[in-house]
Amino acid sequence: MHKIFALLFLIGSLGACSIEEIQPQENHNLVIAHNFMSVKQQEIFTKIANRHHIDLSFKKLTATEIRRAIQSHPWEPGFDLVFIAGIQEQKLLHPLPFQYREPEFALTPIGVSYVSDSSLGIKTYQDLARKFLWSAADSKAESLLRLHLSYIFKDRFTEQKTELKYSQILRGLKNFKVANDAYQLQNGLVLCSYDTYLNFSKKIRNKRKFNAHLQKGERVFTDFIGLYIVEQNTRFQLARKFVKYLHQLRAKQEPFRANFGMFPKTQKIKHYPFKKLLPYLDK
């Protein structure tokens, strides 16, 4: 009898070992495809991941490269998450299937930076049109301005008054870029994104203010950072947890938002939604 029990115990032990051996090890690796992150920004993500026992790696790709990878291998494109800046760039990914999509993960507003001790009284873009000459720090800020105006004045092709308002706002915008113009950065009116303003040198930034609330109704013109998880991803639950951690930091940590040029996503900040702006990118 003892021999029979011993034999049964041995068989059971071998069976348990074989089951354990064939079970897959839990994978704590995530790969993020992105188009903009600096080394510092990647380090911030890595610290968040390490805190939660996630091994994170990064692939810097253009939006076109990300789209091609997903089209070629929809479920295993070589990355698990996509973290992508720019509404124009997100447009390329918009038709693709994702298991999770959040095109408005972060708002990166544009506005006007000006010398802080000036008494310009700039409250709206219309004020700029009536009183000042101004210029864009980069082409992206100018294209975002034109995108929002195209949406707001969508009837300008059929209504002359609307076309006049549209043209008046752009009348004072000079057709040159000032990213490397030291005098203009220190003394002039500069249209720029919030992250561009934050990346001005400390000496310049200490003398200037940034105002994004220049549209009636306190609406802000913004670009967007999108966050996506690949369709039928085998590490979906892990990726979803990481997204949750990012949401918590976005909501509570101002240094985290500042490092990515984000405004906090709250009900107090009004903006024009991603889906409404998307059709006007080519208009």
Side-chain angles (χ1 to χ4, degrees), residues 65-80:
E65 288 170 335
I66 292 171
R67 183 183 64 183
R68 286 174 182 167
I70 293 173
Q71 287 174 333
S72 300
H73 305 283
W75 304 325
E76 288 292 341
F79 45 82
D80 306 293

Side-chain angles (χ1 to χ4, degrees), residues 33-269:
H34 69 94
N35 69 333
F36 74 100
M37 294 176 74
S38 66
V39 172
K40 182 179 179 181
Q41 290 168 334
Q42 291 179 43
E43 288 174 351
I44 292 169
F45 269 41
T46 300
K47 286 179 182 178
I48 299 165
N50 289 343
R51 203 176 302 152
H52 298 282
H53 311 291
I54 299 171
D55 294 324
L56 210 59
S57 57
F58 301 90
K59 285 187 176 182
K60 188 166 187 179
L61 303 170
T62 66
T64 300
E65 288 170 335
I66 292 171
R67 183 183 64 183
R68 286 174 182 167
I70 293 173
Q71 287 174 333
S72 300
H73 305 283
W75 304 325
E76 288 292 341
F79 45 82
D80 306 293
L81 296 101
V82 176
F83 197 52
I84 186 166
I87 185 171
Q88 182 73 57
E89 290 75 9
Q90 288 196 66
K91 182 184 179 182
L92 293 175
L93 307 185
H94 193 64
L96 301 177
F98 287 97
Q99 196 156 346
Y100 174 87
R101 62 172 70 228
E102 189 178 0
E104 294 189 16
F105 169 77
L107 309 179
T108 55
I110 63 167
V112 171
S113 174
Y114 55 93
V115 179
S116 57
D117 61 357
S118 61
S119 55
L120 298 176
I122 303 170
K123 295 181 179 180
T124 67
Y125 284 105
Q126 283 79 6
D127 290 337
L128 284 171
R130 286 192 291 267
K131 303 175 184 178
F132 305 103
L133 297 177
W134 45 302
S135 51
D138 50 61
S139 58
K140 188 172 185 178
E142 183 175 338
S143 64
L144 283 167
L145 172 68
R146 292 182 182 275
L147 168 62
H148 283 78
L149 294 179
S150 292
Y151 172 72
I152 294 166
F153 299 106
K154 60 177 72 72
D155 297 325
R156 70 186 186 278
F157 297 111
T158 56
E159 297 180 5
Q160 190 172 358
K161 287 184 179 180
T162 305
E163 168 59 27
L164 182 61
K165 291 178 181 178
Y166 173 83
S167 301
Q168 284 177 339
I169 290 179
L170 294 173
R171 181 176 56 191
L173 180 62
K174 302 302 291 181
N175 188 25
F176 63 90
K177 310 300 179 284
V178 297
N180 298 311
D181 188 327
Y183 176 84
Q184 185 73 5
L185 284 178
Q186 293 185 50
N187 301 284
L189 284 166
V190 179
L191 176 76
C192 63
S193 61
Y194 185 52
D195 57 335
T196 297
Y197 168 74
L198 292 176
N199 283 310
F200 286 160
S201 70
K202 188 175 181 180
K203 180 180 178 181
I204 292 175
R205 196 170 66 248
N206 286 343
K207 295 180 179 180
R208 302 182 69 86
K209 289 184 178 181
F210 178 85
N211 185 6
H213 297 277
L214 292 170
Q215 178 61 16
K216 291 179 180 178
E218 290 293 294
R219 284 189 182 269
V220 173
F221 291 1
T222 69
D223 203 357
F224 304 93
I225 298 176
L227 188 56
Y228 301 81
I229 300 177
V230 172
E231 179 81 343
Q232 297 193 23
N233 186 271
T234 56
R235 291 168 292 280
F236 175 75
Q237 294 302 326
L238 185 64
R240 195 68 183 86
K241 284 181 182 178
F242 187 69
V243 170
K244 179 184 176 182
Y245 304 143
L246 293 180
H247 284 167
Q248 292 170 350
L249 287 169
R250 181 191 63 189
K252 298 177 182 179
Q253 297 289 333
E254 176 58 32
F256 175 80
R257 294 193 294 267
N259 271 296
F260 289 90
M262 302 177 186
F263 262 22
K265 190 178 180 183
T266 67
Q267 295 300 319
K268 295 180 181 179
I269 296 176

Side-chain angles (χ1 to χ4, degrees), residues 11-23:
I11 293 170
S13 299
L14 290 172
C17 290
S18 61
I19 290 171
E20 288 177 3
E21 286 172 3
I22 63 173
Q23 285 181 340

